[in-house]
Amino acid sequence: MSQPRLLGGRYALEDLIGRGGMAEVYRARDQRLDRLVAIKSLRHDLARDHTFQARFRREAQSAASLNHPSIIAVYDTGEDLVDDVGIPYIVMEHVDGQTLKELLDDDRRLLPERAVEITDGILRALEYSHRNGIVHRDIKPANVMLTRQAEAKVMDFGIARAMDDSQATMTQTSQVIGTAQYLSPEQARGERVDARSDLYSTGCVLYELLTGGPPFTGDSPVSIAYQHVREDPVPPSQLDPEIPAWIESIVLRAMAKDRDQRYQSAEEMREDIQRGLQGMPTAAATTTLPPANDPEPYDYDDEDERREGSGAKAALWVLLALAVLAALIFAGWLLLSNESPETVQVPDVVGMSQEEAESELNSAGFADGDITVEEQNDDEVAEGDVIETDPSEGTEVRQDSEITLVVSTGPGSVRVPDVSGMTQDQAMSELQDADFQIGSTTEENSDEVEAGRVTRTSPEGGSDADPGTTVDLWISEGAETVQVPDLDGMTREEAESALSEADLESTFEQQQSEEPEGTVIGQSPGANNEVEPGTTVTVTLAQQPEDNEPTDDGSPGNGGDETPEGWPPDVPYPPGSGDDEDNGEDQPQERRLSLLGIF
């Protein structure tokens, strides 16, 4: 039996559970923590492409910075060497469930209320990611998992961008990034996106959950994108009359062409859904949205005619694009046929400073205008030195080709793992796996953390720090205790003072005893017991017994020589006063008491 492929010395791959445009997803077992994980690995045929490499790294960075129950957690990242090619991978939370796309492909119809509950879960994830400054940009059914407990979890932040990224448009090298059926109008136009773009895509997903199909379809991504920009969707209730009006109003509000007419935040959309589920009027139901491209109300009775018109327009756009592309290709062919620049070999400049590398490229025949610089974090290459070139060294290229220098900015910040509650060994292993050094360990009392486990770290878990940073650990000794002092024989004042010095409370009680009055004859808890500070110790003090001794005249306490009432007439009083020698003073006490009828 063949051994499973092992990544990073700890992740044993089991089954292939998914495949996408740029990656494959495997179920795997983390042998160190003995848990199931999902591992997303860049496809081998794309591993040499820097664009896909960068997108893959961005997904890991974006998702790892988000910790929320509605977002698939990222545990670890790494790189696997296959045929001398580095294949990056991401270790993620394994979710037992299925994607919304799989649910829709199975033609599983959902009740409208259930569809908006799932959408509410998507919005919870977006609310959190938007609050942390990250726009997903690719919300679609294939990127939403539904657990066995029917909870929604968003994944795949591969094209996510920070909101303040001025380059965060949806075009790259003349291609639209995203999935056509769920693109917002601004994405289709290649404009800058923001949080409201994710809400439009969420509206498209809700539309599909309600009706079983996306809002727009076509023969090509171009025709679908055109509809997102210029056409209104068919109202969901026309496809399924059982869809409530308040849900339809939320869908159409989220899918408004003008982003100012949409919900302005995921939180606002969630609140409207909650109002609807509770039977309250929704904000969307009271808002009238303008049609996308016509001042007159949209006539849905002419739907077939509208579809035919939009299809014709889409076909015209496709033909126009093909004509332009053909003209560009022809012009390029003419240019190449008339002038064939000299080819040169890209020199090896890896490890040089940026200035040295540019000088070397100039010497090889590359002009300054053809050299571009990209910066990238690197844990091994010194800041300012070249990590790699694109094309790589030794490649034969035309002399006027563009050469990209990838220059190191030094180690990048990474997230410090939260190891609170772990044993010391587990915590040290987790930190070392994340490329941190182990510093000092200090023991401290803790009422909340079990003895022998980590209470806190410095830097603290969840903060950002440079790789190689030293992390100090604090280990719990358990709850703080004090020892109960031995109070035996002390006076009340002495016992009270001793307990106060030991940070303990005191309470006192008395008990008859032959010991000196007022001295300690007992305590609870007992001496030398370990207790929490502030514990109350009950102290027992000696009290003299009551005085029942005979009086000086020998009588049992009546204090005189008179015969007590009821005294037997034939018995001399006081006892032992008769002439009978057996009643003398020398008689045993038991004898004298027996004469009184006591024994």
Side-chain angles (χ1 to χ4, degrees):
M1 181 175 178
S2 61
Q3 292 294 323
R5 180 179 165 195
L6 196 65
L7 298 184
R10 63 184 286 186
Y11 304 109
L13 300 187
E14 295 182 355
D15 303 321
L16 180 67
I17 57 177
R19 181 181 282 111
M22 75 169 189
E24 297 171 331
V25 181
Y26 296 87
R27 181 172 56 246
R29 179 162 295 278
D30 182 345
Q31 296 184 331
R32 182 171 298 163
L33 299 179
D34 192 26
R35 67 179 176 186
L36 279 177
V37 295
I39 293 187
K40 186 174 184 178
S41 175
L42 185 63
R43 280 173 33 195
H44 184 273
D45 58 316
L46 302 177
R48 295 184 184 275
D49 190 309
H50 296 295
T51 300
F52 287 102
Q53 288 267 9
R55 175 176 171 181
F56 204 82
R57 291 193 193 98
R58 187 162 59 246
E59 175 177 358
Q61 293 169 354
S62 298
S65 67
L66 300 174
N67 182 18
H68 190 272
S70 297
I71 297 176
I72 298 289
V74 170
Y75 298 140
D76 192 10
T77 61
E79 189 171 286
D80 185 35
L81 198 63
V82 178
D83 297 332
D84 295 326
V85 177
I87 309 293
Y89 62 84
I90 304 172
V91 183
M92 305 180 295
E93 170 189 7
H94 181 270
V95 176
D96 185 17
Q98 62 180 154
T99 65
L100 290 186
K101 183 179 186 304
E102 292 170 332
L103 183 143
L104 290 166
D105 289 344
D106 291 343
D107 199 22
R108 300 273 299 278
R109 300 302 300 273
L110 298 173
L111 293 174
E113 289 76 9
R114 183 72 191 103
V116 295
E117 287 174 356
I118 293 173
T119 305
D120 183 82
I122 299 172
L123 292 169
R124 281 198 299 270
L126 292 178
E127 182 181 346
Y128 180 79
S129 68
H130 294 166
R131 190 162 61 245
N132 284 272
I134 295 176
V135 183
H136 189 285
R137 305 202 309 170
D138 197 19
I139 293 295
K140 59 184 179 182
N143 285 340
V144 179
M145 289 289 297
L146 198 61
T147 70
R148 299 295 182 192
Q149 292 74 37
E151 297 173 345
K153 284 181 175 281
V154 175
M155 58 183 176
D156 195 351
F157 283 76
I159 60 174
R161 288 276 186 171
M163 291 185 187
D164 57 1
D165 186 350
S166 61
Q167 303 301 316
T169 64
M170 287 306 295
T171 58
Q172 182 176 4
T173 61
S174 303
Q175 293 181 338
V176 175
I177 302 176
T179 306
Q181 285 87 347
Y182 312 97
L183 285 179
S184 66
E186 56 270 21
Q187 287 174 278
R189 290 191 294 263
E191 298 172 355
R192 184 178 179 183
V193 301
D194 59 22
R196 295 169 294 180
S197 305
D198 281 347
L199 301 186
Y200 183 95
S201 300
T202 304
C204 294
V205 172
L206 177 54
Y207 186 104
E208 187 167 1
L209 290 174
L210 293 168
T211 65
F216 300 113
T217 58
D219 296 332
S220 68
V222 174
S223 66
I224 297 173
Y226 175 85
Q227 294 174 64
H228 278 294
V229 174
R230 303 294 297 172
E231 304 293 344
D232 285 317
V234 177
S237 61
Q238 291 206 7
L239 301 175
D240 184 353
E242 295 184 3
I243 296 174
W246 69 268
I247 295 181
E248 178 173 275
S249 67
I250 288 176
V251 174
L252 297 179
R253 171 78 176 273
M255 293 181 60
K257 305 300 180 186
D258 182 353
R259 67 179 95 186
D260 291 333
Q261 298 292 331
R262 297 175 205 153
Y263 293 103
Q264 298 301 291
S265 69
E267 181 180 12
E268 182 184 351
M269 186 171 175
R270 279 195 65 217
E271 289 174 351
D272 221 14
I273 286 176
Q274 293 302 320
R275 279 193 289 268
L277 289 172
Q278 296 169 16
M280 300 168 60
T282 63
T286 60
T287 303
T288 302
L289 299 176
N293 195 33
D294 193 340
E296 297 298 326
Y298 187 80
D299 185 3
Y300 292 106
D301 292 334
D302 296 331
E303 175 61 22
D304 292 339
E305 181 180 345
R306 185 186 70 83
R307 292 287 186 186
E308 291 176 5
S310 65
K313 293 177 184 177
L316 182 60
W317 277 97
V318 172
L319 290 174
L320 181 60
L322 291 175
V324 171
L325 180 61
L328 291 174
I329 293 173
F330 181 69
W333 177 79
L334 287 177
L335 181 63
L336 291 174
S337 62
N338 293 328
E339 181 181 357
S340 180
E342 180 183 352
T343 61
V344 293
Q345 191 177 71
V346 178
D348 183 3
V349 296
V350 173
M352 296 182 182
S353 68
Q354 179 180 334
E355 293 76 12
E356 292 172 339
E358 290 176 347
S359 176
E360 187 74 16
L361 290 172
N362 291 153
S363 300
F366 296 99
D368 286 337
D370 295 330
I371 302 173
T372 60
V373 176
E374 290 183 0
E375 294 184 336
Q376 179 178 305
N377 294 127
D378 195 284
D379 299 340
E380 299 178 357
V381 179
E383 182 178 356
D385 290 351
V386 176
I387 302 171
E388 61 183 351
T389 60
D390 184 17
S392 58
E393 64 274 8
T395 305
E396 290 284 344
V397 297
R398 297 187 321 186
Q399 204 167 30
D400 60 351
S401 296
E402 182 177 294
I403 303 295
T404 300
L405 290 176
V406 182
V407 178
S408 172
T409 57
S413 294
V414 294
R415 186 62 54 90
V416 179
D418 185 357
V419 296
S420 300
M422 295 183 183
T423 65
Q424 183 174 340
D425 289 344
Q426 290 173 335
M428 293 172 66
S429 176
E430 189 80 10
L431 291 167
Q432 288 169 341
D433 287 344
D435 293 333
F436 290 102
Q437 300 295 320
I438 305 301
S440 63
T441 56
T442 306
E443 294 183 339
E444 65 179 4
N445 295 117
S446 174
D447 296 333
E448 299 177 354
V449 180
E450 179 184 342
R453 294 185 178 270
V454 176
T455 59
R456 57 193 174 99
T457 61
S458 178
E460 65 181 9
S463 63
D464 291 331
D466 292 336
T469 297
T470 297
V471 179
D472 297 328
L473 303 175
W474 276 261
I475 311 298
S476 172
E477 288 184 315
E480 181 181 3
T481 61
V482 296
Q483 191 176 66
V484 179
D486 186 354
L487 309 175
D488 188 40
M490 292 185 182
T491 65
R492 175 177 179 139
E493 292 74 17
E494 291 171 339
E496 201 165 20
S497 175
L499 291 173
S500 178
E501 289 179 3
D503 200 14
L504 297 170
E505 301 293 330
S506 58
T507 183
F508 294 88
E509 61 182 24
Q510 293 184 326
Q511 179 179 314
Q512 293 185 3
S513 171
E514 298 295 333
E515 298 297 325
E517 179 149 4
T519 59
V520 176
I521 60 174
Q523 65 184 79
S524 178
N528 302 323
N529 276 326
E530 295 287 339
V531 298
E532 294 183 6
T535 299
T536 297
V537 178
T538 301
V539 182
T540 305
L541 300 175
Q543 181 186 33
Q544 289 299 308
E546 295 180 3
D547 188 5
N548 289 322
E549 295 296 324
T551 58
D552 292 341
D553 60 3
S555 67
N558 67 352
D561 294 333
E562 293 182 354
T563 301
E565 184 179 355
W567 189 267
D570 56 342
V571 178
Y573 184 83
S577 63
D579 295 333
D580 191 342
E581 61 180 1
D582 291 334
N583 291 333
E585 291 294 332
D586 295 331
Q587 294 211 12
Q589 181 72 9
E590 291 83 355
R591 170 66 175 165
R592 284 183 282 145
L593 292 177
S594 69
L595 293 176
L596 298 177
I598 298 176
F599 286 102

